[in-house]
Amino acid sequence: MNFFRTALLLAFLTGLFVVIGGAIGGQSGMLIAFVIALGMNFFSYWNSDKIALAMNGAREVNEREAPDFYRMIRQLAENAQLPMPRVYLIDADQPNAFATGRNPEHAAVAATTGLLNRLSQEEVAGVMAHELAHVKNRDTLTMTIAATIGGAISMLANFAFFFGAGSRDGEGRGILGIAGTILMLLLAPFAAMLIQMAISRSREYEADKQGAYISGQPLWLASALRNMSNAAEEIPYEAAEANPSTAHMFIINPLTGQGMDNLFSTHPNTENRIAQLEKIAQEMGDSGAVIGGTSFNTPSSDHETRERGPWDRDPPERGPWG
């Protein structure tokens, strides 16, 4: 199903480019747009993960640079029976994370420094298990290409606007400029609608469920979701605000909900996600999962103060992420 959705997205992008190219430049414009669309399709399939990582300023880290975090990912990947993904960190204060890559063999997971600074090690493990569930379910190809196409549509709208703005009729009115403005106003919501159709909200529930089994502790993720949701409302994430078409890739909606942001909201209600995880926890019972050779305690439901190990030092240090 994910490959089918991806094929539809790429076909739609090609058709849209051809139509807009024809409106701007006639038959020659259609031909040029078709060639550009084919090139973008090829580039998106092979490089959309790199685009998403670059848009968020992610930097790759190794085990020497982020030993505890890297070993955690490796243990979780083994639990999920996945190849070791590439590991990235994003210098952003909002706690969040996403996964990308066209398949499990070419996957990458990225976490913000805010995630590692503000959450316990158990909660971070729950979050990263969720991201590896996306990799295992092969959601990442569709999610990443949808983000790339959403950005491409916005680029196309801007191109139509600037191209048309320079064209004037005999009476000095920018007819194509007006058309370009209308296109820009229509295509941004259309890009959001396209992403919402391509990315089902049910994928988050499924990744929550699979992630709970990968980590062995559903309440780790439940606690993380509650803390991340509260923090996301207070801490802006500039990279996501500048590229709202990538918002669906993150475990928690990184947008503040201002202006056009609400159009790109593709996340289910956090409390509903937490309720599902609490139900799974009841079904699983206390299992005492082991991550990276260290036994962690399940976060308590009354949010009592607990030790955060290497993720919470006083005074603050650079921590396990480098």
Side-chain angles (χ1 to χ4, degrees):
M1 180 59 69
N2 281 323
F3 282 108
F4 178 70
R5 287 175 177 170
T6 300
L8 284 180
L9 284 171
L10 295 176
F12 177 82
L13 177 66
T14 301
L16 181 63
F17 266 65
V18 169
V19 170
I20 300 300
I24 294 175
Q27 290 186 348
S28 297
M30 292 177 64
L31 180 60
I32 294 172
F34 180 70
V35 173
I36 293 174
L38 288 181
M40 288 194 66
N41 286 349
F42 181 83
F43 186 81
S44 295
Y45 181 83
W46 294 102
N47 297 285
S48 55
D49 57 337
K50 299 180 181 65
I51 296 172
L53 291 164
M55 289 169 71
N56 286 279
R59 64 180 180 90
E60 187 171 5
V61 295
N62 54 35
E63 188 169 4
R64 181 182 59 81
E65 296 171 307
D68 291 347
F69 183 54
Y70 194 93
R71 283 194 291 267
M72 174 190 286
I73 300 299
R74 182 166 58 201
Q75 181 61 56
L76 290 170
E78 290 176 3
N79 291 357
Q81 298 181 327
L82 288 170
M84 178 65 185
R86 302 190 312 279
V87 180
Y88 287 80
L89 288 176
I90 302 168
D91 187 16
D93 197 32
Q94 184 188 100
N96 226 319
F98 69 88
T100 185
R102 63 183 182 273
N103 55 42
E105 290 72 32
H106 298 87
V109 292
T112 65
T113 51
L115 184 81
L116 303 184
N117 285 326
R118 294 175 178 273
L119 270 62
S120 72
Q121 194 169 5
E122 295 92 346
E123 290 169 333
V124 172
V127 169
M128 302 318 295
H130 168 100
E131 296 307 330
L132 289 173
H134 278 310
V135 174
K136 190 175 182 68
N137 295 337
R138 295 180 180 266
D139 296 330
T140 51
L141 175 63
T142 307
M143 292 164 64
T144 310
I145 286 186
T148 303
I149 288 177
I153 293 174
S154 298
M155 180 196 72
L156 189 62
N158 288 330
F159 175 77
F161 171 73
F162 286 113
F163 181 87
S167 301
R168 304 280 176 177
D169 65 358
E171 299 179 5
R173 293 172 297 180
I175 295 176
L176 289 180
I178 295 172
T181 302
I182 294 173
L183 270 176
M184 186 172 65
L185 293 174
L186 291 178
L187 286 179
F190 189 74
M193 182 184 68
L194 178 66
I195 290 174
Q196 288 174 340
M197 288 190 299
I199 306 298
S200 171
R201 291 190 179 201
S202 64
R203 87 194 190 285
E204 289 299 333
Y205 287 115
E206 184 61 26
D208 287 345
K209 179 180 178 180
Q210 293 296 325
Y213 287 107
I214 290 172
S215 71
Q217 294 285 4
L219 295 184
W220 289 355
L221 178 56
S223 179
L225 288 175
R226 183 175 287 109
N227 291 333
M228 294 169 69
S229 179
N230 293 335
E233 294 176 359
E234 301 174 357
I235 305 170
Y237 184 26
E238 294 181 2
E241 297 290 349
N243 303 285
S245 61
T246 65
H248 65 277
M249 298 178 62
F250 290 84
I251 184 171
I252 285 288
N253 186 0
L255 304 175
T256 58
Q258 301 296 320
M260 298 286 286
D261 285 357
N262 288 325
L263 293 173
F264 290 88
S265 178
T266 57
H267 293 74
N269 181 271
T270 301
E271 290 302 321
N272 292 342
R273 296 171 69 181
I274 292 173
Q276 176 189 254
L277 289 163
E278 290 174 343
K279 182 179 179 180
I280 294 172
Q282 291 177 349
E283 294 171 353
M284 291 175 62
D286 296 328
S287 58
V290 175
I291 300 296
T294 303
S295 180
F296 297 91
N297 296 320
T298 304
S300 59
S301 59
D302 56 359
H303 301 287
E304 294 177 350
T305 302
R306 59 188 181 275
E307 292 294 326
R308 294 198 173 190
W311 263 260
D312 189 22
R313 292 186 171 95
D314 187 18
E317 298 178 5
R318 293 195 66 191
W321 50 91

